[in-house]
Amino acid sequence: MSTVPRAAAERAAWLRAEIERHNHAYYVLDAPTIPDAEWDALFRELQDLEAQHPALATADSPTQRVGGVPRSDLAEVRHAVLMLSLNNALTEDEALAFDHRVAEMLAKAGRGEGPVEYACELKFDGLAINLRYEDGLLVQAATRGDGSVGEDVTANVRTIHSVPLRLHDAAPPVLEARGEVLMFKRDLARLNERQRARGDKEFANPRNAAAGALRQLDARITAQRRLHFFAYGLGELRGAAEPATHSATLDWLAALGLPVCAERTVARGSDGLLAFYRAVQRKRERLDYDIDGVVYKVDARAEQVALGFVSRAPRWACAHKFPPQEATTQVLDIEVQVGRTGALTPVARLAPVAVGGVTVTNATLHNEDEVRRKDVRIGDTVIVRRAGDVIPEIVAVVPERRPPDAREFAMPSRCPVCDSAVERPADEAIARCTGGLVCGAQRKQALLHFASRRALDIEGLGEKLVEQVVEGDWVHGPAELFSLSLETLAGLERMGEKSAANLLHALDKARSTTLERFIYALGIRHVGESTARDLVHHFGSLAALQAADEAALLAVPDVGPVVAASIAHFFAEPHNREAIEQLRAAGVQWPEGEGAARPAAGRLAGKTFVLTGTLPTLTREQASELILAAGGKVSGSVSKKTDYVLAGDEAGSKLEKAQALGVAVIDEAQFRKLLEG
């Protein structure tokens, strides 16, 4: 085997240490130290070095966090030290009783007078994990299982960036760190957004998503879930003495590079316990992650030993749970709400019930399929769950309490707000109102889209101003924007005569646009800038486009059945045609019969690109312009006909689909090389 040059080995070692230092700052301390582009450059350099010299690809290299092929099973792991469960306190009285028992037992064991000191932590709503480090290197990760035997999830845990692959210096020969794997709320929102885009089932809460991700047989799927880890204790320890207190143990774990939650303290006696509990309960909804209570642990290690265990739980620890966030109530009715994007959402009107300290009267049912899947009927008794400040949801029906006259729900065929047709494509779960330009529920979103930079580019017409003109009943559709007066605008909050005059100038300028910008501004579902451009190239005029049926629309390159149906339905709606005529009457105009010029040849001629994520130096608009100028084409969706997916940070479902179809995925640097030939 060829030897690795010393300079390459030293550079690789430095890169590994530097990347993990930045990872720790970003994922554990939440304090990034360098821009993403610089991190990408370091990571790419390490990848290149390891590709040139495979011997450099050590087990603790950041490049080894994701890889390999899916496994066929999760092997069993027997824990060297049992992973115990905790006894619960469900009320403040039970927490006081826990403190009283501890103080009484310690007094009998010869401890002096005075309040007991407790290490107080959060009770995370995730999945318990045991991480085994040997000589500082992560060698195994296992789930809790039954406390004695868990499942080997090492490959999956290695994808969690907050889990160090190697501990800092002075790590003992064997150290098992115990803690919780969880998903942050914002990451669940991103995951469910991708699930919706693919038509897949959404995850009910972060814990379900995290648990499912950790037990995947393919670690690459786990890597896409953005999991986090917090350490909260020790398992087996060899070659080092355990600190004298639990709080010192957590400080030591943090010093070794393991993430430890900052929401912790040392409290004295029952008053200290309840003060911590109440303080955490007040800030619970503002936390980045879900918790379902707090944990109290006697801080002194010697006192823990004196207290010992009962069954499979320690006498020196207790989980103080928050009030339950589920309750049963009756469905009085199921109504439909229309969202700002036109989505129709069934909402259950409930008999008032207290859930987690809040009186609940409504619960979301998400979509018609969800109503059918859960078989929720008007009159049913249901279990309601509340998580945070979001609208509560129905978990399940109590079938034995169903009354004989319970009625099934039916999705309306006309919008309850504007009476436009409701459509639901065959491959989608969401039914939508087709009256985007005229529907009161969608008005604000439609106006913001209409005025956006890539549409009519009405500078100065932002969200706050749109809210004011809509709520003031001055604007009901986009055409009425052009009839706003200086007096009306100047009288709005945060608007003076100069700002009002500037906006009127911007509106006047927006009257002259291009057909492709106008089509995009209409907000037709599934019609982005690229599709609008293709429609102009194919039909040449708005009249020809409006007259086209689905068969004619399918003749447009990259327009499939779903997009064709969406366009046809939009122009078939009388409200939408009327709104277009009102815009013409307001003076909005564009050249007819002229498609945007497209180079017949260029370095990217005949190549179709899809953009996803955030690029280091280019906006999507800039990248699109470069592609079009070089003769290429930009599409909004990935298919087998796609040549390249240009992916940046936070790439979503388009990247996943490209990988599934085997479409080439490139970054900005590779894209620039294509442009340069």
Side-chain angles (χ1 to χ4, degrees):
M1 187 176 89
S2 62
T3 58
V4 177
R6 180 178 177 182
E10 290 177 350
R11 181 64 178 172
W14 181 86
L15 286 167
R16 284 195 296 271
E18 190 71 358
I19 291 169
E20 286 298 0
R21 182 172 72 84
H22 294 307
N23 278 348
H24 185 76
Y26 185 91
Y27 291 102
V28 180
L29 304 180
D30 198 21
T33 48
I34 58 172
D36 289 349
E38 290 184 30
W39 187 95
D40 290 339
L42 294 173
F43 191 83
R44 197 171 295 119
E45 183 183 352
L46 181 58
Q47 282 182 312
D48 292 343
L49 269 176
E50 292 178 353
Q52 295 169 25
H53 309 287
L56 292 176
T58 59
D60 62 331
S61 172
T63 64
Q64 303 303 301
R65 283 195 180 271
V66 187
V69 297
R71 298 167 54 183
S72 60
D73 68 321
L74 293 174
E76 288 189 349
V77 173
R78 183 164 293 278
H79 299 302
V81 176
L82 288 176
M83 292 187 72
L84 302 171
S85 56
L86 297 178
N87 289 323
N88 292 327
L90 302 180
T91 64
E92 290 193 356
D93 285 344
E94 290 180 3
L96 295 175
F98 162 72
D99 172 61
H100 179 75
R101 285 195 305 272
V102 167
E104 192 175 65
M105 292 177 68
L106 288 177
K108 290 179 181 177
R111 180 185 179 275
E113 296 293 325
V116 178
E117 290 196 339
Y118 297 94
C120 301
E121 309 162 20
L122 305 184
K123 186 177 183 302
F124 303 109
D125 195 12
L127 201 67
I129 289 292
N130 184 77
L131 306 181
R132 184 177 180 86
Y133 290 88
E134 295 181 0
D135 295 321
L137 186 68
L138 177 66
V139 296
Q140 188 181 72
T143 61
R144 180 183 178 276
D146 64 1
S148 300
V149 177
E151 293 175 316
D152 188 335
V153 289
T154 308
N156 295 355
V157 167
R158 289 172 69 87
T159 71
I160 303 173
H161 284 274
S162 57
V163 172
L165 301 180
R166 180 180 289 279
L167 299 178
H168 294 174
D169 293 340
V174 173
L175 180 146
E176 288 185 347
R178 281 166 180 185
E180 201 93 354
V181 168
L182 62 158
M183 179 178 284
F184 281 15
K185 296 172 185 174
R186 61 175 180 265
D187 295 320
L188 176 70
R190 290 192 189 112
L191 174 60
N192 276 340
E193 187 177 337
R194 295 201 299 271
Q195 294 290 103
R196 284 193 296 273
R198 291 195 297 257
D200 293 339
K201 181 183 175 183
E202 295 180 42
F203 292 92
N205 54 61
R207 188 189 189 284
N208 288 357
L214 204 60
R215 300 190 71 256
Q216 289 286 335
L217 297 176
D218 188 346
R220 292 168 295 187
I221 297 176
T222 310
Q224 297 168 4
R225 298 281 176 90
R226 291 181 172 270
L227 302 180
H228 291 260
F229 171 78
F230 284 128
Y232 53 59
L234 288 171
E236 185 178 17
L237 180 64
R238 293 189 213 161
E242 187 172 347
T245 63
H246 181 73
S247 54
T249 297
L250 296 182
D251 292 340
W252 180 47
L253 291 174
L256 289 171
L258 286 153
V260 178
C261 182
E263 299 286 344
R264 65 184 196 275
T265 192
V266 175
R268 292 171 58 82
S270 57
D271 289 345
L273 296 185
L274 295 186
F276 178 77
Y277 173 85
R278 292 165 184 166
V280 170
Q281 192 173 30
R282 285 193 295 270
K283 69 170 71 172
R284 177 185 185 184
E285 307 305 346
R286 300 194 301 273
L287 295 174
D288 292 332
Y289 38 79
D290 279 351
I291 60 173
D292 54 4
V294 297
V295 175
Y296 310 134
K297 299 175 183 175
V298 172
D299 197 32
R301 172 68 180 153
E303 292 180 357
Q304 290 182 7
V305 173
L307 290 165
F309 301 85
V310 54
S311 182
R312 297 168 68 87
R315 289 192 178 95
W316 44 265
C318 171
H320 188 176
K321 304 287 285 292
F322 290 134
Q325 291 195 291
E326 288 187 354
T328 57
T329 187
Q330 187 179 26
V331 178
L332 302 178
D333 199 0
I334 299 178
E335 299 176 0
V336 171
Q337 288 184 345
V338 184
R340 62 194 184 107
T341 62
L344 270 64
T345 303
V347 176
R349 305 303 182 194
L350 307 171
V353 62
V355 185
V358 174
T359 300
V360 170
T361 57
N362 302 317
T364 181
L365 288 163
H366 300 292
N367 55 59
E368 188 175 14
D369 288 349
E370 188 76 353
V371 179
R372 300 282 175 263
R373 186 180 69 81
K374 292 179 177 176
D375 192 21
V376 180
R377 303 182 188 183
I378 299 165
D380 273 344
T381 296
V382 293
I383 300 170
V384 181
R385 174 187 296 147
R386 175 179 170 268
D389 294 327
V390 299
I391 186 170
E393 66 172 349
I394 290 175
V395 180
V397 170
V398 184
E400 58 269 24
R401 297 191 190 177
R402 171 168 289 164
D405 59 347
R407 292 180 288 120
E408 293 190 16
F409 166 78
M411 183 66 75
S413 60
R414 308 293 298 182
C415 174
V417 175
C418 70
D419 198 42
S420 295
V422 170
E423 66 172 15
R424 179 188 169 184
D427 59 345
E428 293 189 20
I430 304 295
R432 295 182 187 273
C433 165
T434 58
L437 292 177
V438 296
C439 182
Q442 303 175 67
R443 191 170 297 149
K444 292 177 185 177
Q445 185 69 18
L447 291 173
L448 285 170
H449 176 79
F450 184 81
S452 64
R453 185 162 54 90
R454 298 176 189 178
L456 261 64
D457 193 17
I458 306 173
E459 189 174 348
L461 191 63
E463 190 170 351
K464 296 292 183 186
L465 190 56
V466 165
E467 283 184 6
Q468 291 186 74
V469 297
V470 169
E471 290 171 5
D473 208 31
W474 285 295
V475 174
H476 302 88
E480 293 183 15
L481 289 171
F482 298 95
S483 61
L484 288 168
S485 67
L486 181 67
E487 182 183 4
T488 298
L489 290 172
L492 298 177
E493 186 182 345
R494 298 182 183 177
M495 286 286 285
E497 280 200 19
K498 185 176 180 180
S499 297
N502 289 339
L503 178 56
L504 288 176
H505 176 72
L507 283 163
D508 191 52
K509 182 181 174 183
R511 282 188 169 96
S512 296
T513 186
T514 64
L515 180 53
E516 64 184 65
R517 276 180 173 268
F518 183 77
I519 292 170
Y520 174 66
L522 294 177
I524 306 169
R525 185 160 167 75
H526 301 303
V527 176
E529 297 166 88
S530 175
T531 303
R533 190 180 302 116
D534 290 341
L535 292 170
V536 172
H537 278 295
H538 188 83
F539 292 105
S541 71
L542 184 61
L545 174 59
Q546 286 180 300
D549 59 14
E550 290 188 38
L553 289 163
L554 285 171
V556 180
D558 285 341
V559 170
V562 172
V563 180
S566 179
I567 297 169
H569 289 169
F570 180 89
F571 287 118
E573 183 59 55
H575 295 311
N576 292 331
R577 286 179 173 269
E578 183 182 348
I580 291 170
E581 290 310 310
Q582 289 171 352
L583 284 165
R584 285 185 190 271
V588 179
Q589 56 187 339
W590 54 88
E592 289 280 5
E594 296 180 8
R598 178 182 296 175
R603 295 192 185 279
L604 304 182
K607 302 297 182 184
T608 299
F609 289 75
V610 172
L611 281 61
T612 182
T614 305
L615 300 173
T617 66
L618 293 172
T619 65
R620 288 200 193 185
E621 186 174 10
Q622 290 168 335
S624 297
E625 288 172 356
L626 289 172
I627 292 167
L628 294 171
K633 180 178 178 181
V634 180
S635 176
S637 58
V638 180
S639 70
K640 292 180 180 179
K641 296 179 181 179
T642 305
D643 294 290
Y644 297 101
V645 169
L646 174 52
D649 291 339
E650 301 291 334
S653 58
K654 292 177 183 177
L655 175 59
E656 296 170 14
K657 187 170 182 180
Q659 292 168 336
L661 293 175
V663 173
V665 178
I666 59 174
D667 58 19
E668 185 181 316
Q670 293 167 313
F671 171 61
R672 290 187 181 278
K673 287 181 181 179
L674 284 176
L675 289 172
E676 295 163 4

